[in-house]
Amino acid sequence: MSGLSFLQQGLSAGQAMGWMQLLLAFAIAQQSLEHLALGALGLRDRMIFVPRLVLCVVMGLGIGGAWPVWGLWGISLAMLWRYQGPYNGGSDKMTMLILSCLSLAHLAPSAFWQEMALSYLAVQLVLSYFVSGLVKVVNPEWRCGEALRDVFRFSAYPVSEGLRGLADHPRFLFVMGWAVILFELVFPLALLDPVALKLALLCAAGFHFSNACFFGLNRFFWIWLCAYPALIWFQDRIF
Amino acid sequence: MLHLFSLFLPTVIPSWRFFKTVAPSPRIEYRLIEAGRVEDWQEDRPRPGHLGLGQILRRMLWNPEWNEQLYLVSCSERLIDEPSQHSVDEINLRVARLLPAGQQELQFRLVFVSREQGQIVKLVEYESSPVSLITLQEAVG
């Protein structure tokens, strides 16, 4: 298969769900192991994270049909209660969103409702980029590059003090800020073509990778990848 | 049940407004108090001066301490927006777990850093009541 025909290929709903479950098994297992690594505090929550880990292995091996997905959804709900909200902000929200849509897709009484559940996830994934770009472009602080300087200057996210020095490169951050804003705003247009979508998803993964490097948001990188098969299916189904 | 629903709803109808504005950013500082003798405030888990490429790549797969630190940022913001004992307890426990065992009392405060008229300013917005360090460490295990 040539590179171009690979990029043009879509996914069936079943294939998309299969890929998502495989990627989720890895991403959620990674999150769970990180929790268990927090010494005694992690072990205190082992009633949550050991079953979560086991369900990931089961789901990754493709055993148990929908049950591991439903089990992981229930545990994510318990985590929301335990931490009184997301532990890891947007990445926990995305984890719950994917699990909710997958759970509903498995529960769906017909192919139509299964597609509705997957479509909802695909639309939310597009919105996660577009809305993010929209709220930035209407903010003068983002348009002039000052907001991204502030992220490096004093926010809690840069992983080292050395990275704060990037705040002293306003022209570089101005260009980077606009590159992010424009990419997020035009992302929905990638739905018009299967090859453009794959390339846009590659750029988006690169964006999450850089966020992981600069701001330590490694969980965002893995969990956003998990939702990509739903969008590849959606593009093929609708356009 | 209603509270659980209010926690669940934003996960399935997310706002996706990442970095809409760069809000004042919290830092946790703590001090130990022993028999009326009060130590200076210290920043909880200050970030390293520099991270090598290898460390950054390793953190793609393994970053538990940093993710806990991000959770503490969330707890700090929640403590100001919607004060709760849960946030106080989580901060106390997670600060205490990294300190050597001792008979002192632990107190933390939240310092919010922001930019105002071109200057970086720090504002203390919360100061906790001192609690026994050993009790916290026993609670952690």
Side-chain angles (χ1 to χ4, degrees), chain B residues 20-63:
Chain B
K20 182 186 176 192
T21 55
V22 184
S25 176
R27 306 281 188 278
I28 296 171
E29 294 183 351
Y30 69 90
R31 66 182 176 185
L32 297 171
I33 303 166
E34 187 171 21
R37 194 167 54 84
V38 180
E39 289 183 6
D40 290 337
W41 291 105
Q42 300 180 56
E43 189 177 347
D44 178 52
R45 39 192 114 189
R47 68 204 67 223
H50 174 76
L51 278 183
L53 183 63
Q55 285 171 297
I56 287 174
L57 293 178
R58 200 161 48 245
R59 283 174 170 217
M60 286 300 298
L61 281 171
W62 195 245
N63 209 4

Side-chain angles (χ1 to χ4, degrees), chain B residues 89-141:
Chain B
D89 293 343
E90 286 291 272
I91 295 172
N92 267 327
L93 283 172
R94 288 167 196 273
V95 172
R97 87 173 181 88
L98 296 183
L99 297 175
Q103 297 299 322
Q104 306 98 317
E105 289 191 305
L106 172 68
Q107 186 180 24
F108 73 84
R109 68 179 184 182
L110 301 179
V111 181
F112 279 76
V113 186
S114 60
R115 177 174 53 84
E116 280 177 23
Q117 291 163 347
Q119 298 292 314
I120 298 297
V121 293
K122 296 181 176 183
L123 192 64
V124 177
E125 294 209 11
Y126 179 86
E127 206 166 289
S128 72
S129 302
V131 283
S132 160
L133 178 62
I134 196 83
T135 307
L136 290 169
Q137 290 174 328
E138 281 171 359
V140 171

Side-chain angles (χ1 to χ4, degrees), chain A residues 31 34-35 38 41 45 49 79-80 82-93 219, chain B residues 63-72 74-75 78 90 94 97:
Chain A
Q31 296 173 8
E34 282 194 348
H35 278 280
L38 291 175
L41 204 57
D45 290 336
F49 295 109
M79 283 174 64
L80 280 177
R82 160 69 183 87
Y83 298 111
Q84 289 296 293
Y87 178 88
N88 206 243
S91 79
D92 276 14
K93 285 183 183 175
R219 294 187 183 187
Chain B
N63 209 4
E65 302 288 346
W66 182 259
N67 280 315
E68 186 185 39
Q69 204 161 332
L70 293 180
Y71 173 56
L72 286 173
S74 299
C75 288
R78 286 180 207 164
E90 286 291 272
R94 288 167 196 273
R97 87 173 181 88

Side-chain angles (χ1 to χ4, degrees), chain A residues 50-69:
Chain A
V50 172
R52 202 171 180 237
L53 200 53
V54 171
L55 286 172
C56 286
V57 174
V58 171
M59 187 167 75
L61 292 172
I63 305 168
W67 286 102
V69 179

Side-chain angles (χ1 to χ4, degrees), chain A residues 56-227:
Chain A
C56 286
V57 174
V58 171
M59 187 167 75
L61 292 172
I63 305 168
W67 286 102
V69 179
W70 294 334
L72 287 168
W73 182 85
I75 291 175
S76 292
L77 205 59
M79 283 174 64
L80 280 177
W81 185 259
R82 160 69 183 87
Y83 298 111
Q84 289 296 293
Y87 178 88
N88 206 243
S91 79
D92 276 14
K93 285 183 183 175
M94 185 53 109
T95 308
M96 191 58 167
L97 177 65
I98 298 173
L99 285 170
S100 298
C101 292
L102 269 177
S103 294
L104 287 174
H106 279 292
L107 274 175
S110 66
F112 172 79
W113 288 109
Q114 186 180 62
E115 290 190 347
M116 284 295 110
L118 290 180
S119 299
Y120 183 75
L121 176 58
V123 169
Q124 284 295 340
L125 181 62
V126 173
L127 288 175
S128 75
Y129 295 115
F130 181 71
V131 174
S132 229
L134 195 62
V135 297
K136 289 186 186 82
V137 82
V138 298
N139 181 342
E141 294 268 293
W142 270 102
R143 289 201 302 271
C144 72
E146 205 58 33
L148 191 52
R149 285 186 77 192
D150 282 347
V151 170
F152 283 98
R153 199 157 26 199
F154 66 79
S155 85
Y157 294 101
V159 293
S160 69
E161 287 299 333
L163 278 179
R164 294 208 184 276
L166 280 176
D168 300 328
H169 297 82
R171 263 182 277 180
F172 172 71
L173 292 183
F174 176 82
V175 172
M176 288 295 110
W178 269 105
V180 169
I181 291 170
L182 291 176
F183 171 73
E184 290 180 329
L185 287 175
V186 302
F187 184 84
L189 295 178
L191 283 171
L192 297 173
D193 180 77
V195 177
L197 177 65
K198 308 295 190 320
L199 296 176
L201 289 176
L202 200 63
C203 289
F207 166 64
H208 291 299
F209 181 79
S210 65
N211 284 341
C213 293
F214 287 130
F215 307 132
L217 303 174
N218 63 325
R219 294 187 183 187
F220 281 73
F221 174 77
W222 298 113
I223 203 65
W224 249 258
L225 290 192
C226 296

